[in-house]
Amino acid sequence: MPAPRKYPDELRERAVREVRTTGRPIAHVAKDLGIHKEALRGWVRQAEADAGERDDRLTTAEREELKQLRKEVAELRRANEILKAASAFFAAELDRPRTRPTR
């Protein structure tokens, strides 16, 4: 489970909007709103990526897709390990000589 967010979403959106619309420096907006400037810098960069203005970061949608795909890959790897173990078990059972019970 991810850690709880330190800043509410409304504050994040307001801060990013203020930086992007006013053109004020990130450090000044961050100081006015009581936010760490590097946190705000990251939010602004992410907003720019989501808007298609940056190519050096994944968009939020791409990040979510990547997270989901990694989770799916891990699940499939676990399933494969289980299937490998089961097939080895059953192969060993088939290779075992069968004895008839005596009556």
Side-chain angles (χ1 to χ4, degrees):
M1 178 179 286
R5 291 187 167 189
K6 184 174 180 180
Y7 302 106
D9 290 337
E10 297 81 23
L11 179 61
R12 290 168 161 246
E13 292 167 9
R14 177 180 168 206
V16 169
R17 187 173 49 251
E18 189 170 332
V19 168
R20 296 190 71 189
T21 58
T22 65
R24 291 180 60 210
I26 290 173
H28 293 166
V29 173
K31 185 176 180 184
D32 291 347
L33 296 176
I35 302 169
H36 192 277
K37 66 182 178 183
E38 291 306 316
L40 179 54
R41 188 179 319 282
W43 301 341
V44 170
R45 286 182 179 163
Q46 190 62 51
E48 290 170 350
D50 290 346
E53 299 168 7
R54 296 181 74 102
D55 293 333
D56 61 336
R57 291 180 78 116
L58 296 176
T59 65
T60 302
E62 290 169 333
R63 284 180 187 275
E64 288 301 315
E65 181 182 14
L66 182 59
K67 181 179 172 183
Q68 179 60 33
L69 290 172
R70 285 181 174 164
K71 183 177 177 182
E72 190 176 325
V73 166
E75 192 175 305
L76 291 171
R77 284 185 175 151
R78 282 191 299 273
N80 278 341
E81 289 301 316
I82 292 168
L83 291 172
K84 282 180 190 177
S87 66
F89 173 79
F90 288 116
E93 285 291 315
L94 290 175
D95 289 343
R96 210 180 292 174
R98 298 186 185 256
T99 57
R100 288 192 147 159
T102 55
R103 293 185 188 192

